[in-house]
Amino acid sequence: MLLTSKGEKKKIWWWYAAVMAVVFIGFVVLTAYMANSKSTALRSLYRQMGMYDNQNDAGAVNGLLTHAQSLFEVTARMVDDMLLNEASSSEIDSLFVTETNYQLQKKEWGFSNFFGVIRGEYFNGRKWAPVAGYAPLRRPWFQEAIKARGNIAISVPHINSRSNESVISVSKRLSDKKSVLALDIYSKYLRNCMRSADAISSWMIIDKNGLVIAHSDVTKQGHNLLSSRPWATDNEENLDNDDERLAREVMLNGKSSDFEYKGKVYKIYSSIVQGKWYVVRIIDENALLDQWKWDTARSIFIALMLYLFIAIIGAFVTKKLIKTASVSRAKSAFLASTSTEINTAVNGILGLNAIIMKEAYGSIKDYAKNIQMAGQGLLSLVNGIMDVSKIETGRMNIEPSEYDVFTVLSESFDALSPRASAKNLHLFLECDPDLPCSLWGDERHIRQIISNLLSNSIKYTEVGEVHLSVGYDSISPKTGEMVDDYVMLKIVVRDTGIGIREDNLDNIFNAFENIDQHSGQNQEGTGLGLSLTKELVERNGGQISVKSRYGEGSTFMVSIPQLVLNVEPIGDFTARYKKAAHKKNEPLEMFYAPDARILIVDDVEINLKVFRGILKNTRIQVDTAVNGVQALKLAQSKRYDIIFLDFMMPVMSGIETFRKLKLIDLNRNTHVIVLVTEAISEARGSYLNAGFTDYLGKPIHEQDLLRMLKWYLPKQLILTAEDLSQSDFDEDENASIPPATPEPASDPFEEIEFVNVTEPSPREKLSLFGEFLNLDTALEFCGNDEKIYQELLQEFTTSDVIQNIKSAFEMSDWDNYRFYVSRMIESSAAVGAEALSQEFQSLKKACINRRHNYILENHERVMELYANIVQKIQTGLATI
């Protein structure tokens, strides 16, 4: 994208900001969605893990109790058998010791020893003698066994009197209804069954009465969560209430539930063991997620930093791209502007040179031909640069029209023949006689493709020939079209030049890269020809390829699809060309139209001079205007037979001037012919659609201009030389006929020498301007025609361009200021005011480089210099 204004740059920045905002919003939405999904998934995973862990803990506790009960049952049956057999106390004591030692040998570290009260006597497998005050019948293990009525009882946690450790007793009343057997399980081994607690989770084992069998907090072990909690302090009141609610929640709601505990919401998992105990695990899921949240936040922060980094890099790249695009646009604008100005100047030079060629003889005419050849080459180069500028700015359009194949080929051949002849090369053209004579396509592009290929071959061929071959292939028809509707136009240019190295074949179509085919190194030149040719071929739907052998020559092949309008074959091209060449060499039939009046509107004074020079002998009445405003004033006062109107002008454009001309009754039906440069003539169809009668390309060619005048001037106004002679005779038919051989009259001054009174020559009359103007340059510019130079001086002093410059300066309209200053550069140089031309050139450069301070400081000085020169010129003209 190329930038033409600050608005477009601002628009790009807005687009960039919008894209980055959308990316940021998308990032936020995606992050929120992923975070929510991840959080949900993690919660589900944590709950599954919590339930799984709690079930494993419950399984471990159940395994410990089951194993203890299994060992206890075996010993209990053995003691019951001894009671039935009325075994002695020593036998019972021996059994207790034996069973205890047996368990110790098996390393049943979770158990203490067998003990109990048998027939009122206390027995202990470790031979421990109760201390004073020890009352077995009041111990929890004994009381729980009595309450169980023959079933195995598990006591609340209590302190083992022998080891002073917390234990849980498994006990049972034996068959004699008086004896009780017990086995202690160390609480620490019960705790070992539970997975460790941490800041995130805790656990406990409670019975159905709310008694804490074991707890991750040892201080709460043995407390009853449903009792009055005599151990609670005032500060623990809320905590105890939470414990009570927790116990009831466990007993009422089963396996898992959400519960507010200690000011937080916890997930509670519970499993019942042997129908007696609840194994409970309390997990703070939010705490589990905290680490994940921190990791996520860190990842988001890193992502945001990465986003910010990308945004900064993107902004930097965007700024660079904008700057590059601006530079590219400025370059294209400069190329277009400069090329247009050069094009205008070259057109004027070629037009004036054509007049010189018409009137010159001998060596002067040869020089003029060389100027014409060099000018045509320069014009071709300028047009190529303008085409490149159009391609870069997207303004290169395809403008198809009907064209005559013979005309295109013959004129392309004629344009390049002088260059080939100058190098003593043979230029051949071979054309398929069956080629349709009329095709539909972009005629200008076809001409340019042929010209570029021939120019390239001539440039790199020193000896031998350049051969142009044109033919066609039939192509498959499109839906609904006849077989002959389309042909593939084949253009082949072959030369015997120095060829191209194989490693350079891929680079020859690159823009601004000119490969020296001999050395393989870059050489001077624009390198636009082949690059532009490739672009034109591809834009017209065709293909281009090249084959070359180094040292032998190159062959370029082009294929372009074209629509056939007339299937009649072109025939023998050579015969037609010779016939056309013979007719072309015949002198132009001169005509006269002294009663015809035309108006020429062009802001370039050189072009106006070319028109007047060409039409000088036709005696046509010519009025000129340098802008649309002047043209409208003249059109309101005079009726014209033809108006030639430049399309691109300051003050008022050609199309605007044309529309206003059509509103003037006096010239409503006047033919208006638009003047366009060849570089922009591809829009020819649009000119006719806009209402113009026709268009005429610049530089102006005498043959084209005269042909157009004969076509559009009223027939009664066109006179031949015989008509003009007859008219002159009719006017003088009543005059007396002078004697055929009058007597010579005697001259009284015959002997007088007239050396001192001889009329000064025109060049001598102009010598007074030599003090401040370069007469040699100026007269050379005018073809050494002193009369034209005097007219040019008169126009220079009356030009209104300087007023336009002043108006643009006052309004700080620097675009129009530069435009009008450019006109003055040409005008000043044309009259020989070289110093003034340089001053205007400096103002123009300052305008292009936006050095407005320089303009402000020097504008008045240059205007005074201009006024001084104008005054001197007017004084000199008054004395001639």
Side-chain angles (χ1 to χ4, degrees), residues 301-446:
F301 175 77
I302 294 174
L304 286 175
M305 291 299 100
L306 180 61
Y307 168 84
L308 182 61
F309 175 76
I310 294 174
I312 293 174
I313 294 298
F316 178 78
V317 172
T318 302
K319 183 178 179 180
K320 282 289 186 183
L321 290 176
I322 291 175
K323 184 177 180 181
T324 302
S326 299
V327 171
S328 177
R329 178 61 182 180
K331 180 203 71 176
S332 299
F334 174 77
L335 286 177
S337 175
T338 305
S339 300
T340 301
E341 294 174 5
I342 296 176
N343 187 286
T344 300
V346 173
N347 286 337
I349 293 172
L350 292 178
L352 293 175
N353 192 66
I355 298 174
I356 296 174
M357 290 177 61
K358 180 181 176 181
E359 300 180 358
Y361 298 94
S363 61
I364 299 298
K365 190 167 187 176
D366 292 336
Y367 297 153
K369 288 182 179 179
N370 292 333
I371 292 174
Q372 198 75 8
M373 185 186 305
Q376 289 292 348
L378 178 59
L379 188 63
S380 176
L381 174 60
V382 171
N383 290 339
I385 294 175
M386 295 183 71
D387 285 335
V388 171
S389 175
K390 290 178 183 179
I391 291 172
E392 290 184 347
T393 55
R395 295 185 291 109
M396 173 65 77
N397 298 320
I398 303 299
E399 294 287 342
S401 62
E402 180 181 3
Y403 66 91
D404 182 72
V405 178
F406 173 80
T407 301
V408 171
L409 295 180
S410 60
E411 291 182 358
S412 299
F413 184 82
D414 288 342
L416 274 299
S417 292
R419 292 185 58 185
S421 299
K423 298 182 69 173
N424 294 322
L425 299 177
H426 297 286
L427 181 62
F428 297 97
L429 193 155
E430 179 182 0
C431 183
D432 188 339
D434 295 328
L435 178 66
C437 66
S438 181
L439 300 177
W440 178 271
D442 195 313
E443 177 183 349
R444 178 173 174 269
H445 288 172
I446 297 296

Side-chain angles (χ1 to χ4, degrees), residues 26 47 63 69 138 167 181-182 196 310 313 360 448 684 701 750 795 824:
R47 289 180 180 181
Q69 291 173 356
R138 295 181 180 179
V167 295
L181 178 65
S196 61
I310 294 174
I313 294 298
Q448 197 167 1
R684 60 191 69 180
H701 299 289
E750 184 176 14
E795 291 176 2
M824 291 305 301

Side-chain angles (χ1 to χ4, degrees), residues 88-234:
S88 62
S89 296
S90 59
E91 291 176 337
I92 294 174
D93 182 63
S94 176
L95 177 63
F96 273 56
V97 173
T98 301
E99 289 299 316
T100 297
N101 290 334
Y102 177 72
Q103 299 304 328
L104 293 176
Q105 291 175 1
K106 289 178 63 178
K107 297 184 179 179
E108 297 287 356
W109 303 110
F111 307 132
S112 178
N113 58 297
F114 288 101
F115 61 94
V117 177
I118 307 298
R119 294 182 298 207
E121 185 180 357
Y122 178 79
F123 292 90
N124 189 295
R126 292 268 183 112
K127 293 294 184 176
W128 176 76
V131 296
Y134 180 78
L137 300 183
R138 295 181 180 179
R139 300 294 291 175
W141 54 269
F142 188 88
Q143 294 179 357
E144 293 294 334
I146 298 299
K147 293 177 182 179
R149 298 180 179 181
N151 296 317
I152 294 178
I154 300 177
S155 71
V156 298
H158 58 280
I159 300 301
N160 186 293
S161 298
R162 181 186 61 81
S163 62
N164 289 322
E165 293 186 58
S166 176
V167 295
I168 299 169
S169 299
V170 179
S171 59
K172 181 181 181 182
R173 188 174 64 174
L174 300 178
S175 59
D176 64 353
K177 307 298 183 182
K178 297 178 182 179
S179 300
V180 172
L181 178 65
L183 175 65
D184 281 345
I185 303 174
Y186 290 111
S187 296
K188 62 182 180 181
Y189 287 99
L190 185 62
R191 293 173 59 86
N192 290 340
C193 293
M194 304 296 293
R195 296 178 184 270
S196 61
D198 50 33
I200 297 175
S201 65
S202 60
W203 58 266
M204 63 180 177
I205 303 173
I206 61 174
D207 63 10
K208 291 186 175 183
N209 296 319
L211 182 65
V212 178
I213 307 299
H215 201 291
S216 55
D217 184 359
V218 180
T219 61
K220 293 185 178 182
Q221 189 168 301
H223 298 170
N224 192 323
L225 301 182
L226 299 180
S227 68
S228 58
R229 298 173 304 282
W231 63 88
T233 64
D234 292 339

Side-chain angles (χ1 to χ4, degrees), residues 722-738:
E722 292 78 7
D723 294 334
L724 196 61
S725 298
Q726 182 62 37
S727 176
D728 292 339
F729 176 78
D730 291 342
E731 291 177 359
D732 297 335
E733 63 180 344
N734 295 324
S736 60
I737 301 176

Side-chain angles (χ1 to χ4, degrees), residues 574-593:
T574 303
R576 289 186 62 183
Y577 180 79
K578 290 181 179 179
K579 183 177 180 181
H582 177 73
K583 187 175 181 180
K584 187 185 303 181
N585 292 329
E586 294 178 356
L588 290 173
E589 182 181 355
M590 180 57 64
F591 70 91
Y592 305 91

